[in-house]
């Protein structure tokens, strides 16, 4: 599949998964985790072939409870996300450690020694810990001095238009002057 990087990554995964399921003659249904009522139990009576839960569901306590109910009803559940609370489910996750390690090694192999991590939000996330660890391990193995990460103010996660994408790029570029 062709990846359109001007769109947010997580929605793209959901779109592609939906298209692949449709090609397999299967139906898809989107459920908002915070507005699930007891009537959602009716969905389980028809025993869907399986449930693919996007990361928003894993970030919600109600969403995780819903997934547990679905799994306990014998319906296969696959969750997208590396949230530790999703550890009881089959998951599709990014290997942030390995990705960061390999990217840093590649840059080091190209002679880059001052490699900056630019995070587009002020708060730390568990998956950023893995990226930081991959970066630190690659830098240490090469005997290179790691630089502290530069953090931006919160920037929007949902970037669905070229204008929004261009705006985020311009803001990020401004942080590089530090």
């Amino acid at each position: 599949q062709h990846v359109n990087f001007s769109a947010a990554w997580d929605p793209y995964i959901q779109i592609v998964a939906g298209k692949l399921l449709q090609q397999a003659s299967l139906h898809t249904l989107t459920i908002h985790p915070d507005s699930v009522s007891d009537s959602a139990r009716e969905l389980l009576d028809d025993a869907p072939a399986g449930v693919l839960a996007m990361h928003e569901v894993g970030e919600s306590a109600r969403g995780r409870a819903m997934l547990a109910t679905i799994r306990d009803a014998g319906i296969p559940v696959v969750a997208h996300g590396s949230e530790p609370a999703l550890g009881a489910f089959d998951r599709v996750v990014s290997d942030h450690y390995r990705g960061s390690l390999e990217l840093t090694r590649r840059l080091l192999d190209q002679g880059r020694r001052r490699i900056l991590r630019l995070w587009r939000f002020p708060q730390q996330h568990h998956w950023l810990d893995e990226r930081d660890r991959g970066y630190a391990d690659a830098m240490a193995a090469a005997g290179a001095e790691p630089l502290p990460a530069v953090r931006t103010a919160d920037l929007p996660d949902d970037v669905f238009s070229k204008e929004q994408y261009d705006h985020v790029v311009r803001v990020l570029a401004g942080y590089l002057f530090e």
Side-chain angles (χ1 to χ4, degrees):
Q1 297 284 345
H2 172 71
V3 177
N4 177 2
F5 285 106
S6 65
W9 182 248
D10 290 330
Y12 181 78
I13 292 171
Q14 189 170 358
I15 290 166
V16 171
K19 286 182 180 179
L20 292 172
L21 291 168
Q22 287 175 346
Q23 289 171 1
S25 299
L26 297 171
H27 300 287
T28 61
L29 173 67
T30 301
I31 300 172
H32 191 283
D34 292 326
S35 60
V36 174
S37 67
D38 290 336
S39 64
R41 184 77 178 140
E42 296 171 14
L43 291 172
L44 302 179
D45 293 338
D46 288 333
V51 171
L52 171 62
M54 298 311 294
H55 77 276
E56 293 90 348
V57 177
E59 293 173 350
S60 160
R62 290 185 72 187
R64 290 188 302 270
M66 178 183 65
L67 293 179
T69 299
I70 292 168
R71 180 198 57 216
D72 294 346
I75 299 167
V77 173
V78 175
H80 169 237
S82 57
E83 293 292 323
L86 292 174
F89 300 98
D90 289 333
R91 295 184 291 168
V92 176
V93 297
S94 297
D95 187 341
H96 292 279
Y97 171 79
R98 179 163 289 319
S100 183
L101 179 82
E102 290 181 8
L103 174 60
T104 305
R105 283 180 180 164
R106 183 178 186 133
L107 292 169
L108 289 163
D109 289 346
Q110 294 174 358
R112 306 316 198 270
R113 303 303 283 178
R114 294 182 38 80
I115 301 170
L116 178 69
R117 290 162 295 142
L118 176 62
W119 302 142
R120 63 185 212 121
F121 23 70
Q123 69 277 17
Q124 188 69 13
H125 298 280
H126 66 275
W127 49 269
L128 265 184
D129 292 337
E130 292 301 304
R131 288 185 184 181
D132 288 340
R133 196 168 60 84
Y135 167 82
D137 287 353
M139 295 295 278
E145 184 68 29
L147 298 175
V150 172
R151 294 181 176 277
T152 70
D154 255 328
L155 294 174
D157 285 333
D158 298 327
V159 181
F160 294 108
S161 71
K162 179 158 179 27
E163 292 78 20
Q164 291 170 320
Y165 177 80
D166 289 346
H167 171 74
V168 169
V169 168
R170 286 185 188 102
V171 171
L172 288 172
Y175 277 90
L176 294 177
F177 287 106
E178 291 180 25

